[in-house]
Amino acid sequence: GAVVSQHPSRVICKSGTSVKIECRSLDFQATTMFWYRQFPKQSLMLMATSNEGSKATYEQGVEKDKFLINHASLTLSTLTVTSAHPEDSSFYICSARDQVGYTFGSGTRLTVV
Amino acid sequence: AQSVSQHNHHVILSEAASLELGCNYSYGGTVNLFWYVQYPGQHLQLLLKYFSGDPLVKGIKGFEAEFIKSKFSFNLRKPSVQWSDTAEYFCAVNPDSNYQLIWGAGTKLIIKP
């Protein structure tokens, strides 16, 4: 079946630095990808919808300048957390739309120290 | 390894039939439990969640789920389904020790009008 690879699975970075998370569709083309964030003891929250070749659509309350999304090809979307702060520590997960539905990445655990 | 098992990958029902989707997880500690739904062409939405308290949880659109700790289960139920319930349903488990969300493979539900 369809596979979405998300990398890295875990990352620790210093406050003020930027971190890039990659989401790749391995055996299908994904014109649309979604980025989610999970806060501790809460459910997933949709951050943005990433569309290949165009600007991402951000959900209300999500800072587009802080969470940069690039969907430059049909198999790759990236999320860059810029000038990370400890409150950005969270679990980020992407999903891609395939022919039969949606496939999820395995997630990235970001810790900002 | 921690895992979430959804027993039925495809379920087809007629309108007004009763629904029960199984979800079992393998983790011995405290967990937070979720059911998510994806309607055709839409992104993931939270259906209901369990963190603590009453093990019978009521969600949106008439859905409910019961957490049975001794059986490591969190089955989703609805007494009478509608055609609009056609969607894919995902069970997810968050071990209380970390932020990671462990997903079931999903169940595609088709309701015949």
Side-chain angles (χ1 to χ4, degrees):
Chain A
V3 177
V4 169
S5 174
Q6 188 172 341
H7 179 80
S9 58
R10 289 173 176 249
V11 58
I12 301 173
C13 71
K14 291 184 178 180
S15 186
T17 62
S18 296
V19 174
K20 180 185 285 188
I21 303 169
E22 293 187 347
C23 183
R24 293 181 184 273
S25 57
L26 296 187
D27 52 0
F28 67 101
Q29 293 181 332
T31 56
T32 304
M33 289 187 178
F34 304 90
W35 287 96
Y36 298 88
R37 177 178 178 178
Q38 185 184 25
F39 291 95
K41 296 194 175 185
Q42 296 186 33
S43 63
L44 281 177
M45 179 190 76
L46 179 67
M47 298 175 66
T49 301
S50 168
N51 299 297
E52 186 269 334
S54 64
K55 290 183 179 181
T57 302
Y58 289 82
E59 295 299 301
Q60 190 173 9
V62 178
E63 299 175 61
K64 57 183 68 177
D65 293 326
K66 180 167 187 61
F67 298 100
L68 299 178
I69 291 174
N70 184 282
H71 195 155
S73 78
L74 287 170
T75 59
L76 175 64
S77 175
T78 60
L79 168 67
T80 301
V81 183
T82 62
S83 187
H85 290 284
E87 59 263 31
D88 298 325
S89 297
S90 189
F91 185 75
Y92 296 85
I93 188 168
C94 69
S95 76
R97 189 170 179 175
D98 59 29
Q99 291 184 339
V100 295
Y102 296 84
T103 301
F104 299 98
S106 55
T108 298
R109 181 177 175 181
L110 170 64
T111 303
V112 184
V113 297
Chain B
Q2 300 161 359
S3 65
V4 176
S5 176
Q6 289 183 243
H7 312 297
N8 307 101
H9 295 296
H10 291 87
V11 173
I12 301 174
L13 295 172
S14 298
E15 279 195 310
S18 64
L19 170 71
E20 181 161 3
L21 301 181
C23 174
N24 286 88
Y25 64 93
S26 62
Y27 181 73
T30 303
V31 293
N32 303 310
L33 300 156
F34 307 90
W35 275 98
Y36 287 90
V37 60
Q38 276 189 320
Y39 297 102
Q42 299 185 31
H43 64 79
L44 206 64
Q45 299 176 46
L46 179 66
L47 202 55
L48 51 78
K49 61 186 178 183
Y50 171 82
F51 288 148
S52 62
D54 189 341
L56 184 61
V57 180
K58 295 190 182 299
I60 60 172
K61 304 187 180 185
F63 285 91
E64 64 178 31
E66 185 175 12
F67 170 46
I68 302 179
K69 190 174 181 179
S70 61
K71 294 185 177 180
F72 298 90
S73 70
F74 190 56
N75 292 355
L76 180 70
R77 299 194 294 248
K78 186 171 183 176
S80 177
V81 294
Q82 301 172 312
W83 177 79
S84 59
D85 293 325
T86 294
E88 188 160 14
Y89 294 80
F90 294 90
C91 179
V93 174
N94 166 224
D96 205 38
S97 60
N98 61 54
Y99 297 174
Q100 187 177 15
L101 197 66
I102 303 167
W103 293 89
T107 298
K108 291 182 181 176
L109 174 66
I110 297 173
I111 306 300
K112 298 183 293 183

